[in-house]
């Protein structure tokens, strides 16, 4: 009887691990973005070690926030990440369908960001990082108070259900933020965050 329980537990753990791994299509998109990100970081004197890639084509109930190892060309960490609610008062079935750079739109903005100064947050683990939009489509991020922070975001995937939406900030779970905070505090150069769809 105990042998059956052990086998089931091992199967369950392996299934959970496989479930959180990105599929082939996502990996190809990640690798293409990472290649461009690496060139951008080199040109702009950003960190050559890591960058953040957030794929908004991925359902919010799946892991779509990736800490990318620029030297090893691989995923270091992945986690859940919110998108902006915009004017959608329902859960929009977990898909980010609209983006905007307009103040008070409560939308996420696509594009490249510089992860800026670490500060205090009233949400989650009370840590946030200012985000500086580097493109025309996200250059209001700082004035809109769009920051990287933690909130009531789950650690594990909830698909087919979506997760809580933000007012435009890429929010992650408390545990994931603690891990990211350690990484970001150790970096000497600015880290690139790229939100795309």
């Amino acid at each position: 009887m105990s042998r059956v329980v052990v086998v089931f537990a091992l199967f369950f753990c392996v299934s959970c691990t496989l479930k959180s791994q990105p599929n082939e299509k996502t990996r190809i998109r990640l690798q293409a973005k990472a290649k461009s990100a690496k060139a951008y970081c080199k040109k702009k004197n950003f960190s050559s070690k890591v960058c953040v890639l957030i794929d908004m084509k991925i359902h919010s109930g799946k892991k779509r926030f990736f800490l990318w190892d620029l030297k090893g060309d691989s995923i270091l960490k992945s986690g859940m990440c919110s998108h902006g609610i915009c004017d959608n008062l329902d859960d929009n079935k977990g898909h980010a369908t609209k983006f905007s750079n307009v103040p008070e739109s409560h939308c996420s903005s696509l594009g490249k960001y510089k992860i800026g100064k670490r500060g205090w947050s009233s949400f989650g683990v009370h840590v946030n990082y200012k985000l500086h939009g580097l493109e025309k489509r996200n250059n209001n991020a700082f004035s809109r108070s769009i920051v990287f922070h933690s909130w009531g975001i789950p650690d594990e995937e909830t698909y087919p259900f979506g997760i809580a939406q933000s007012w435009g900030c890429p929010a992650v779970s408390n545990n994931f933020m603690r891990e990211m905070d350690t990484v970001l505090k150790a970096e000497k150069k600015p880290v690139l965050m790229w939100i795309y769809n």
Side-chain angles (χ1 to χ4, degrees), residues 124-190:
V125 296
H126 305 302
V127 171
N128 71 26
Y129 284 86
K130 308 297 184 218
L131 293 178
H132 303 269
L134 302 171
E135 301 177 22
K136 210 171 190 177
R137 58 187 177 164
N138 67 1
N139 61 6
N140 289 328
F142 188 83
S143 62
R144 290 177 61 205
S145 299
I146 301 299
V147 296
F148 172 46
H149 66 88
S150 67
W151 191 38
I153 305 297
D155 288 313
E156 299 305 324
E157 295 186 342
T158 61
Y159 184 82
F161 303 104
I163 61 172
Q165 294 166 287
S166 69
W167 278 15
C169 299
V172 296
S173 76
N174 290 338
N175 289 329
F176 197 71
M177 187 66 193
R178 288 185 189 99
E179 293 179 22
M180 286 299 304
D181 190 35
T182 301
V183 171
L184 294 173
K185 283 193 296 186
E187 281 301 311
K188 305 299 180 201
K189 291 183 176 181

Side-chain angles (χ1 to χ4, degrees), residues 20-34:
S20 65
Q21 294 298 314
N23 61 32
E24 187 61 24
K25 189 176 178 182
T26 299
R27 276 198 298 273
I28 290 168
R29 280 167 56 80
L30 269 171
Q31 287 166 345
K33 286 291 176 190

Side-chain angles (χ1 to χ4, degrees), residues 110-130:
L110 299 174
K112 298 180 187 75
Y113 296 81
K114 179 180 85 169
I115 300 178
K117 283 180 95 171
R118 183 180 190 269
W120 187 87
S121 173
S122 56
F123 299 108
V125 296
H126 305 302
V127 171
N128 71 26
Y129 284 86
K130 308 297 184 218

